[in-house]
Amino acid sequence: MDIDNILECLTKITIDDLHSTSHFDIRVTQRKNNLIQDANSIKLIILKDKPLGILKQDDKKFKLLYKLNDDYDLVVIISSSSNNPNLNSFNLVTYFIETSNKRKREE
């Protein structure tokens, strides 16, 4: 899969196409805060927002970057759960929140 495939897939998926891994569920519980309440809040961001950036980590794994607010971004690692690029099914591997100044360039 490539970045173009991922962008296309993200426009077609439903909540049932996003599968939480046990590692992801542990991280959601550990990192729960006022910005991210549960796994569904992350899934809804993936479904409704266009990522600010996508980095390909390997053939099946991608790092998605979403803006949460002016100060923080959401980073979600997903992996394709199929070898077939036409199947839109993804595992949520992990997530973390980072300050938005990591993505913003100083003038």
Side-chain angles (χ1 to χ4, degrees):
M1 291 194 92
D2 62 22
I3 292 174
D4 291 330
N5 293 121
I6 292 297
L7 272 174
E8 185 179 339
C9 290
L10 290 175
T11 63
K12 297 176 182 178
I13 60 172
T14 67
I15 200 160
D16 294 329
D17 298 319
L18 298 171
H19 310 285
S20 297
T21 61
S22 58
H23 177 79
F24 182 82
D25 290 334
I26 290 168
R27 293 298 175 249
V28 169
T29 301
Q30 291 175 337
R31 298 173 179 161
K32 183 177 173 180
N33 60 38
N34 62 341
L35 294 173
I36 299 297
Q37 299 294 316
D38 56 18
N40 276 343
S41 60
I42 295 171
K43 290 177 182 181
L44 291 175
I45 290 170
I46 294 170
L47 292 173
K48 70 179 180 77
D49 295 348
K50 184 177 181 179
L52 295 175
I54 301 174
L55 292 172
K56 184 174 182 174
Q57 296 190 316
D58 64 30
D59 285 340
K60 290 183 162 189
K61 195 182 296 180
F62 294 85
K63 180 179 181 180
L64 308 176
L65 176 69
Y66 294 92
K67 180 180 178 179
L68 285 176
N69 58 33
D70 289 337
D71 297 321
Y72 295 101
D73 292 335
L74 172 68
V75 177
V76 183
I77 307 298
I78 64 168
S79 67
S80 174
S81 53
S82 170
N83 288 328
N84 183 347
N86 296 321
L87 294 178
N88 300 331
S89 182
F90 297 97
N91 293 321
L92 302 173
V93 177
T94 194
Y95 90 98
F96 54 92
I97 295 173
E98 64 183 18
T99 59
S100 60
N101 62 4
K102 277 193 96 168
R103 110 180 112 75
K104 294 178 184 175
R105 176 175 274 172
E106 295 282 331
E107 294 290 325

